[in-house]
Amino acid sequence: QVQLVESGGGLVQAGDSLRLSCAASGRTFTILAMGWFRQAPGKEREFVSAISGSGGSTYYADSVKGRFTISRDNAKNTVYLQMNSLKPEDTAVYYCARAWGVAVIPHEADFGSWGQGTQVTVSS
């Protein structure tokens, strides 16, 4: 009942930055935690970051900690992922997802609605 659409992906070089956006529509009356995941070719989807419903709590995978920042603007029903100091290993399709609850839990099973993804490619 909630639709998520990611945008902002692209082709960049190592060290560059990108900001991904995830716009939510539909049944968004309840503000829940949101997360970002990514999936590289031949690999399973992995957790990247999550933010609580209020935006007061965040969680990051060790691989992106210190480089990525998740944020949200509930008035716009949008969550963002600011990605700095990008590395080739960050190359993947990035997905945003809406959690089942308001708390931050870095597990894929705790997220329900999913976007269709946006491609991020980082060249060396």
Side-chain angles (χ1 to χ4, degrees):
Q1 296 180 346
V2 175
Q3 294 77 47
L4 305 175
V5 180
E6 303 94 336
S7 62
L11 173 62
V12 298
Q13 294 192 16
D16 286 352
S17 299
L18 280 175
R19 189 181 76 158
L20 306 183
S21 298
C22 175
S25 62
R27 188 177 174 81
T28 60
F29 301 109
T30 301
I31 305 301
L32 302 175
M34 297 286 292
W36 286 96
F37 295 77
R38 66 187 182 186
Q39 185 170 28
K43 295 185 177 181
E44 296 182 357
R45 186 153 55 190
E46 66 174 340
F47 170 80
V48 175
S49 183
I51 186 168
S52 62
S54 67
S57 298
T58 59
Y59 199 97
Y60 299 92
D62 290 340
S63 59
V64 305
K65 192 173 298 182
R67 299 188 298 119
F68 291 9
T69 302
I70 189 171
S71 62
R72 68 189 302 163
D73 185 340
N74 288 337
K76 296 182 178 180
N77 292 315
T78 302
V79 62
Y80 305 94
L81 184 67
Q82 178 66 46
M83 306 184 295
N84 298 328
S85 301
L86 284 164
K87 305 175 181 179
E89 49 263 45
D90 294 320
T91 296
V93 175
Y94 283 71
Y95 301 88
C96 69
R98 189 170 186 250
W100 298 111
V102 298
V104 174
I105 302 176
H107 301 116
E108 184 173 334
D110 292 308
F111 292 82
S113 299
W114 293 80
Q116 296 189 31
T118 184
Q119 177 71 48
V120 172
T121 302
V122 184
S123 62
S124 59

